[in-house]
Amino acid sequence: MGLLDAGITKHNMLVTSVDNVLNWARLSSLWPMGFGLACCAIEMMATNASNYDLERFGIFPRSSPRQSDLMIVAGTVTMKMAERVVRLYEQMPEPRYVLSMGSCSNCGGPYWEHGYHVLKGVDRIIPVDVYVPGCPPRPESLIGGLMKIQELIRMEQIGISRADALKKLAEKSVDPRIIIERERTVVGA
Amino acid sequence: MEEGKVISQSLQESAAAYSIIHEKFGSAISALDANETMPFFEVIDTSQWTEIALFMRDHPKLKFNYMACLTGVDYPAEEKLGIICNFESLALFNHKLAVKVKCARDGGSIPSVACVWHTANWHEREAYDMFGMLFTGHPELKRILCPDDWVGYPLRKDYKVQDQYHGIKVPY
C-alpha cells in the first residue's frame, strides 16, 4: 500500500504507519552511487539524462558511496575491480541496495568462458537485490529494475530482515507475462 | 587498376627501404616477405634488434618515425614467443614495414626498443604481461593490465586460468 492510499482528513492530517513513512521517504529519494564500469554505464547515463529523466523518481547519482543508498553495478566487473567494488560497497551506509545491471555483472556475460580477467557475476563478492538482464539493458529495463528496488523497500518493516523483505517481494510479485498478454489482447481488439 | 597500381607503388618503396636495411645488416635479417598487405622481415640475430631499430629510425632514406603497433605472438609449435612491430614514416615516405622478432618460449628475451620509440615502452609491457617474454633494457618491465600478483600469461595458447584470485573464484 502506498502512502497516498492512506486516509487524508480535512485538517491536512495524514494517518499512516511509521513503516509506511520511512519506506516512502527511502524509496522516493533512492540515490545511486555515480559509477559505471563499461558500456552499461552509457545506458545508465542515458537513463539519468533528460529523455528518461530518473529524477522524476527521486533518483539522482551521488558522487560518494557514503551518500548513496544504491549501487548500480553497471558493466563488466574485472578481477582487478572486484576488490574495489567490495570496498565501495562497504563504504555505503545501511540500508543499502545493490542492482546488478547487464549480463556481465549478472554472470560474466560474453566473458563467461574465455574472459580470464572477468568476475563471473558480482554476486560472488557482494549481495545483489535485483538483477537486470540485457547486454546492455535498455533504459526501460533499468527503470524496471529500479522500480523493483522501490517495491522491495515498500516491503520493509521495522524488525524484519532483508531476506524476509525479499521473500515478501517474491510472494507479491506478479507474472508480467499475464499483464503483457492482457494489454496485447486489448490493443488487438 | 588505378587502385592496384598505387598499392604496388607503396610496396616498391617498402622493398627499397628493406634493401637499405639489408645492405647494412646482411644476414642478421631474413629476406623480405613482399606481400601487399604488410611487407615484413624477421630479425634473425636478435641481439642486433636495437641497432636495426635505431638505423630504421635515423637513416635519412628510411625515417621510420612511427611505431604503429607492437604485438606479441605465441608460436607453441616452434617453442617460441615473438613480437611483430609495424612501422611507418609519417609525413616523409610512403614505405611501411613490419618486423618480427622471436625468442625462446621459456625465459626468452628480446632487446627492448623503448629507447628508440617511446610507444614501445607500454607495448612491450603489454606483450610481457600477456606472453611473458622479457625485454632486456626496458626501463620499467612490469605488468601493465593484469594485477602485479596475477599468475600466468593469459594470451599463451596453453594458458589455464587460476582457480582463485584473492579468495575469489575465477572460473565460471
Side-chain angles (χ1 to χ4, degrees), chain B residues 14-161:
Chain B
S14 302
Y18 166 79
S19 58
I20 296 173
I21 306 167
H22 186 68
E23 213 170 282
K24 166 93 175 162
F25 291 97
S27 61
I29 62 174
S30 76
L32 181 73
D33 184 314
N35 65 82
E36 282 286 346
T37 321
M38 180 50 87
F40 70 86
F41 66 87
E42 191 186 324
V43 176
I44 292 165
D45 183 3
T46 52
S47 63
Q48 290 196 55
W49 168 223
T50 313
E51 278 169 58
I52 297 170
L54 270 173
F55 181 76
M56 284 172 72
R57 188 192 70 180
D58 292 337
H59 190 279
K61 283 189 178 166
L62 297 174
K63 289 280 180 195
F64 284 101
N65 54 13
Y66 176 48
M67 172 184 259
C69 192
L70 187 156
T71 322
V73 193
D74 186 13
Y75 304 99
E78 298 173 45
E79 286 286 314
K80 276 184 173 171
L81 294 171
I83 52 167
I84 300 172
C85 313
N86 300 69
F87 297 108
E88 286 170 37
S89 180
L90 286 187
L92 297 171
F93 298 107
N94 277 329
H95 54 222
K96 55 176 187 177
L97 276 176
V99 182
K100 295 187 179 187
V101 190
K102 292 181 186 175
C103 69
R105 202 152 183 274
D106 298 312
S109 66
I110 295 170
S112 169
V113 288
C115 52
V116 185
W117 296 279
H118 287 296
T119 311
N121 188 323
W122 282 15
H123 279 68
E124 284 176 353
R125 276 177 66 185
E126 191 192 11
Y128 160 72
D129 192 359
M130 294 294 142
F131 295 94
M133 76 283 269
L134 297 171
F135 290 91
T136 44
H138 191 284
E140 195 192 16
L141 191 67
K142 59 175 191 178
R143 286 187 185 270
I144 190 169
L145 294 169
C146 291
D148 286 341
D149 55 355
W150 194 259
V151 179
Y153 301 103
L155 290 190
R156 287 198 185 194
K157 300 283 184 198
D158 55 358
Y159 174 72
K160 289 277 181 294
V161 82

Side-chain angles (χ1 to χ4, degrees), chain A residues 34-53:
Chain A
F35 94 118
L37 300 176
C39 24
C40 277
I42 304 295
E43 215 69 2
M44 182 183 68
M45 286 182 263
T47 319
N48 277 315
S50 50
N51 272 13
Y52 291 91
D53 191 20

Side-chain angles (χ1 to χ4, degrees), chain A residues 79-80 82-83 107-108 112-113 116-120 124-125, chain B residues 130 145-147 150 154 159 161 165-166 168-172:
Chain A
M79 300 308 290
K80 217 172 171 180
E83 290 169 303
C107 63
W112 72 279
E113 193 177 5
Y116 59 92
H117 63 305
V118 175
L119 181 69
K120 312 295 187 292
R124 287 189 180 179
I125 49 168
Chain B
M130 294 294 142
L145 294 169
C146 291
W150 194 259
Y159 174 72
V161 82
Y165 175 71
H166 290 193
I168 305 167
K169 191 182 160 211
V170 181
Y172 183 73

Side-chain angles (χ1 to χ4, degrees), chain A:
Chain A
M1 188 177 77
L3 188 70
L4 291 180
D5 300 328
I8 298 175
T9 70
K10 284 176 183 168
H11 309 292
N12 280 343
M13 275 185 31
L14 191 141
V15 183
T16 183
S17 66
V18 173
D19 278 336
N20 250 347
V21 174
L22 283 181
N23 290 349
W24 170 75
R26 254 179 217 157
L27 68 86
S28 311
S29 61
L30 198 58
W31 289 351
M33 186 162 62
F35 94 118
L37 300 176
C39 24
C40 277
I42 304 295
E43 215 69 2
M44 182 183 68
M45 286 182 263
T47 319
N48 277 315
S50 50
N51 272 13
Y52 291 91
D53 191 20
L54 273 186
E55 240 192 304
R56 66 200 155 117
F57 301 106
I59 298 173
F60 188 76
R62 301 299 298 182
S63 47
S64 163
R66 295 174 205 282
Q67 300 169 352
S68 311
D69 311 298
L70 168 68
M71 176 188 256
I72 302 177
V73 186
T76 316
V77 186
T78 58
M79 300 308 290
K80 217 172 171 180
M81 190 65 193
E83 290 169 303
R84 277 83 168 168
V85 169
V86 173
R87 171 72 66 87
L88 287 167
Y89 176 76
E90 284 167 351
Q91 284 175 345
M92 287 165 65
E94 286 182 343
R96 54 196 171 192
Y97 304 87
V98 177
L99 184 148
S100 163
M101 180 182 180
S103 299
C104 291
S105 64
N106 287 347
C107 63
Y111 309 101
W112 72 279
E113 193 177 5
H114 298 296
Y116 59 92
H117 63 305
V118 175
L119 181 69
K120 312 295 187 292
V122 76
D123 51 4
R124 287 189 180 179
I125 49 168
I126 53 174
V128 175
D129 296 303
V130 171
Y131 299 85
V132 177
C135 187
R138 280 195 55 83
E140 291 89 337
S141 316
L142 178 59
I143 291 172
L146 290 166
M147 294 182 85
K148 207 75 186 170
I149 296 263
Q150 291 186 329
E151 268 178 65
L152 167 67
I153 297 173
R154 209 170 268 141
M155 296 300 138
E156 286 184 347
Q157 286 166 15
I158 292 171
I160 79 162
S161 67
R162 174 68 60 84
D164 289 340
L166 279 165
K167 208 178 287 169
K168 262 174 81 183
L169 178 66
E171 281 164 8
K172 277 203 153 187
S173 69
V174 277
D175 186 0
R177 198 176 303 162
I178 298 163
I179 299 169
I180 293 166
E181 291 295 325
R182 199 174 57 208
E183 292 291 318
R184 250 189 215 148
T185 50
V186 169
V187 171

